[in-house]
Amino acid sequence: MISNEKSANSASLVDINNLTFKRGERVIYNNISLSIPKGKITAIMGPSGIGKTTLLRLIGGQIRPESGQILFAGNDIPQLSRKELYKVRKRMSMLFQSGALFTELSVYDNIAFPIREHTKLPEAIIEKIVLMKLEAVGLRGARDLQPNELSGGMARRVALARAIALDPELILYDEPFAGQDPISMGVIVRLIRSLSDALGLTSVVVSHDVPEVMSIADYIYIIAEQKIIGQGTPEQIQQDKSPLVKQFVQGEADGPVPFHFAAPHYQNELIKNSPVLGSALNSMSSSALSNRGQI
Amino acid sequence: MQQLQLLGKNTLALISGLGRAVIVLLSAILHRPDFRKGTPLLMQQLYNVGFLSLVIIVVSGGFIGMVLALQGYTILVGYGAEASLGPMVALALLRELGPVVSALLFAGRAGSALTAEIGLMKATEQLSSLEMMAVDPLRRVIAPRFWAGFISLPLLAAIFSMVGILGAHLVGVDWLGVDSGTFWSVMQSQVDFNKDILNGIIKSVVFAFVVTWIAVYKGYDCEPTSEGISRATTSTVVQSSLLILALDFILTALMFAV
Ligand SMILES: Nc1ncnc2c1ncn2[C@@H]1O[C@H](COP(=O)(O)OP(=O)(O)O)[C@@H](O)[C@H]1O
Ligand SMILES: [Mg+2]
């Protein structure tokens, strides 16, 4: 176990040690540690609102932790000066959940933006790079469209092309599968995989889509209740005996994590304020009623 | 007791908001300018913020000048003093109405648009995305918008006053029959450059600074949701309008009371 962790550390790009982060009074992370191996796809899973996006922002240095280390290639992100942080950020990029394309720029200019901003390459070469990145996401034909003319899936792919424009070492994907149609989903899954395999990119995929993550990740961390409740390869996660992990992976509503927010008895509450509805509900079978409740 | 607590809480919120506003502004504008990248961005914003406000400024200036001439004429003609119509209108516009009304219109037209635009960029993660690309959104997004507003409003106020005087000429001279030569010559002899024109310009520069600062800060600081953006937009218009009127009183007292 200990030797395992040592070897992981020597080959890792990001190391998070004893990280604690609070939003106001609320503790989001309580003393967690994890490491992201170089050249691999690491997934971070957990229910919505648990702090997955927050973790990516912590790695990107957009917010500072209460305490703990966030090492990126040996640089402790929270300790860096503004200038050093901006330098480190050129080596990573983040695919935002919404795509975050610049609305006033065309698809072409969106992808050219980071290149123009950080290099002095002539326009002819920039055009070649942009077309190459667009071809990689299958959208070379969309170069002259405006972001508002793209479907959600296309926007996500353009954003991915922009994220890889400067060939970063690390890509942080925030919910890349959420709200995608099956075709876009397939394209994105293949892209993430091939970026990692062909270019040796390190990827962090944050998601709550269990099947996609299982199919793509090399290593998985599952977060709940401010800490890591399970980790391992997809196979190890599948076989995990912990009830928390099982509940999350198999998507069961009932388990250690309750589906229902604490509330008064459902049927009583419906009947309370409406005698007519009450009698109507009483004539229904209670099983039908509780089924409706689940939907 | 509860009210006291509330007062304390609101005062703290006000002070911390003011502190953040100062930090946002200073980090946006205090750095070595990069003219190669900055100029096209500033041009774009001068168009969005300044040029697109031109229509409302010209139309309002024209109408206000016309109304001033009508009202002024009916009063002045009772004393046989309609020859003073020119300076009366010009002084009202240059000292007060030009700077104040154009600033109010600017807050409603350009200030609200700035807040909403920046707020939307925040809510759609465009600002975070810039940050992650190692591009400072304060310099890239906030600075050109601030400078554009700061430059545009004084020019718009000058245009407002000019169009207003032309509108007054239209009503006073062409319609009501005041002699055109009298209108202009009495105006020229009565309007003092330092006292009237310069003070008017100073006012509009102060208003430009305040309105644009509020607008960009409210957008940058807003809660990144639809409600947050709409609240920020409203508060830009309300707060800038109130501040314009309060500052106008203070500046007028300093400039003209002694
Ligand atoms: N800017 C913010 N201010 C205050 N609370 C926030 C902010 N952003 C996120 N949160 C809170 O932090 C928690 C974690 O958010 P997030 O990282 O977005 O969750 P996830 O991505 O796992 O769905 C959420 O409960 C959210 O309400
Ligand atoms: Mg999230």
Side-chain angles (χ1 to χ4, degrees), chain B residues 94-252:
Chain B
L94 291 170
R95 286 178 170 191
E96 282 300 327
L97 296 172
V100 173
V101 177
S102 55
L104 292 173
L105 293 170
F106 185 80
R109 169 65 183 78
S112 61
L114 277 178
T115 304
E117 189 197 13
I118 297 169
L120 203 62
M121 291 180 83
K122 185 177 186 185
T124 53
E125 297 177 314
Q126 293 180 53
L127 297 184
S128 287
S129 171
L130 278 171
E131 244 173 67
M132 285 302 294
M133 285 180 202
V135 176
D136 188 345
L138 286 170
R139 296 184 189 179
R140 176 87 198 183
V141 174
I142 303 299
R145 284 167 176 76
F146 173 79
W147 288 121
F150 185 61
I151 295 169
S152 298
L153 180 50
L155 297 176
L156 291 170
I159 292 171
F160 184 96
S161 295
M162 282 191 289
V163 177
I165 289 171
L166 292 179
H169 186 274
L170 188 72
V171 168
V173 175
D174 298 328
W175 179 20
L176 299 173
V178 176
D179 179 57
S180 179
T182 317
F183 183 87
W184 292 119
S185 64
V186 181
M187 186 193 297
Q188 266 176 22
S189 68
Q190 294 281 308
V191 173
D192 180 68
F193 180 79
N194 279 339
K195 193 157 161 253
D196 303 314
I197 298 182
L198 197 63
N199 278 338
I201 294 175
I202 292 174
K203 275 188 182 179
S204 66
V205 169
V206 172
F207 297 158
F209 182 83
V210 169
V211 173
T212 324
W213 185 13
I214 292 178
V216 295
Y217 165 69
K218 289 283 173 188
Y220 190 78
D221 197 58
C222 84
E223 191 195 318
T225 59
S226 354
E227 302 88 59
I229 295 172
S230 88
R231 237 177 304 152
T233 310
T234 309
S235 112
T236 289
V237 176
V238 172
Q239 292 188 12
S240 353
S241 304
L242 292 178
L243 259 176
I244 289 165
L245 296 172
L247 283 172
D248 183 50
F249 176 74
I250 295 171
L251 289 172
T252 307

